[in-house]
Amino acid sequence: MMNLKGLTMTSIRISDGIVKDEILVVGLANKSTKGSKSTALSIESGDLALDNKALLATLQDLGATGKAEEIIKLPGNSTRLIVFTGLGKASPTYDNEVLRRAAGSAARAIAGNSSATFSLPAKNAQAIGAIAEGAGLGNYLFDRFRGSSKSEQKTPLKSITIHSELAKKSDVKDAIHKAEIIATYTHLVRDLINTPPSHLTPETFCDAITQAVKKAGGASAGLKVSVMTDSQLKSKGYGGIIAVGQGSSNPPRLLQLSYSPKGAKKKFAYVGKGITFDSGGLALKPAKGMEAMKSDMSGAAAVCAATIAIALLKVPIAIEAYAPLAENMVSDTATRPSDVISIYGGKTVEVINPDAEGRLILADALVKAQEGKDLDGIVDVATLTGAQVVALGTRTSAVMTNNTEFSEKFLVSTKKTGEAFWPMPLPIELRASLDSPVADLANIGERMGGMLVAGLFLKDFVADELPWLHLDIAGPAYNESAAHGYTPVGGTGIALRSLVQLALDSISQ
Ligand code: BES
Ligand code: MN
Ligand code: ZN
């Protein structure tokens, strides 16, 4: 059973005093001028003065370049080690995402130590927050399922300190507090994704979120969880969730997590795809790569954890989060190609391909989310299509919408977080490919532009006048290659930061 023993609040301190930790992390940039062969290096230690001359000579000897992802460790003076993390091209100010990644790479590289101070160039609360966030996000380990190899794993830092002479400013303190929450709840998303489907079922997903909500203060934080069981879903007509889950001995659920602050300025619904394992059902996926389908609940984890984070940040925006949860399996009770199901609210769908299951559970949840609610917007988050990965690769997610004003606003929010999102169209001419000869629509259509076709399917279940965003995070949700910046191998936690930022940016808009 999923447990949250591992979820500890990431604690980050801010200090303008002397560095007392084991390790000091600073930036290293290059200011190479055209024509010259050697790279001129620049130590970027923010508000901390170092003996740069001696250090630079050693760094040159070592062949340091200051490129992003480069980590160089030297013996320190007051600290055991001084760690240089690449910032790329030297500049009077650095992009917040450059700082976030540099801090994250360093945090990963010094795992196994107990404490570190990060002193990187940052002149305002946002930049300081980005460093804290990067350090906290990079400081992650998933070792719950290790036995004999557990002791070989380098444990994350127990204490992170950010050095800045702005330490006493209230907006800086707020930025550090936000970074702690972002890191902690991104770790929760990653833990849920990395937990194998033998342990993370629809039921245990609900248990884990219930526990996390309790830990966050529950009702006193304005949070409330409710869970619909499979028999309740069946009797109330949630045909999508039932159809996808009926081939599994782990029954489906619909989790609802609401955050209702006093004096809420707006209300959003966040809906996340929660397939705890996607075998493809009777359209069984090939064995190669199927193990990555434990990540098919990344959207559900992101919307739930983001809602808790929004509550802890006391954002005056109400959130109704929905996580339709099911395991897409093969058995004699599994949904057959050609079966017709009825989505919550009555629209019928011919299931041509049981591997296009995400849209079926999302349709139920989208309809439910709009029921009698005065929403200002609705956002769904899903590892929905392989076509998304083909179109945008593994690090850029897609945004589709029925309201460009809403998506443009969202894209502004995402830029602040460093999460890469790119707008994609919903071309109306592709909709006809979803017509079915027997039902209201079919669950698959034209293969070309499969990400857009999936978006058009969902659009059928959203009121035209309600601003809606569909986020396809199929590629970025799960890192199957090497760790980079603050991103580990496995679950990444993508979308959480943008969902939180959207709420924050909606307070005054
Ligand atoms: N969960 C998958 C999509 C996916 C693929 C996520 C790769 C992450 C990485 C989804 O349920 C799926 O199987 N989609 C099918 C749809 C097709 C049958 C129309 C796909 O993309 O192949
Ligand atoms: Mn599938
Ligand atoms: Zn899926």
Side-chain angles (χ1 to χ4, degrees), residues 216-254:
S220 61
L223 291 164
K224 191 178 154 253
V225 189
S226 60
V227 176
M228 256 186 254
T229 63
D230 50 324
S231 57
Q232 290 167 322
L233 289 168
K234 204 173 226 169
S235 67
K236 291 189 171 123
Y238 291 85
I241 301 172
I242 290 297
V244 175
Q246 73 191 29
S248 171
S249 54
N250 297 308
R253 294 285 183 268
L254 176 60

Side-chain angles (χ1 to χ4, degrees), residues 278 280 285 296 328 355-357:
D278 183 10
K285 287 181 182 292
D296 215 16
N328 191 21
D355 196 14
E357 83 297 338

Side-chain angles (χ1 to χ4, degrees), residues 424-435:
M424 284 289 165
L426 292 173
I428 195 66
E429 67 274 15
L430 286 175
R431 172 60 184 81
S433 72
L434 286 165
D435 286 345

Side-chain angles (χ1 to χ4, degrees), residues 96 166 177 248 294 300 327 378 459 498:
N96 290 341
L166 304 176
H177 177 61
S248 171
K294 73 170 178 179
E327 189 179 43
I378 186 164
K459 188 171 183 284
S498 295

Side-chain angles (χ1 to χ4, degrees), residues 279-349:
S279 72
L282 286 173
L284 190 63
K285 287 181 182 292
K288 191 176 172 329
M290 201 201 276
E291 70 282 2
M293 285 302 121
K294 73 170 178 179
S295 67
D296 215 16
M297 32 53 68
S298 299
V303 300
C304 294
T307 303
I308 303 176
I310 290 166
L312 290 176
L313 288 167
K314 301 189 166 63
V315 185
I317 301 288
I319 307 286
E320 295 288 343
Y322 292 86
L325 296 151
E327 189 179 43
N328 191 21
M329 295 295 272
V330 192
S331 78
D332 63 338
T333 58
T335 294
R336 293 158 289 250
S338 80
D339 277 354
V340 172
I341 64 170
S342 169
I343 300 298
Y344 187 66
K347 222 173 242 190
T348 60
V349 177

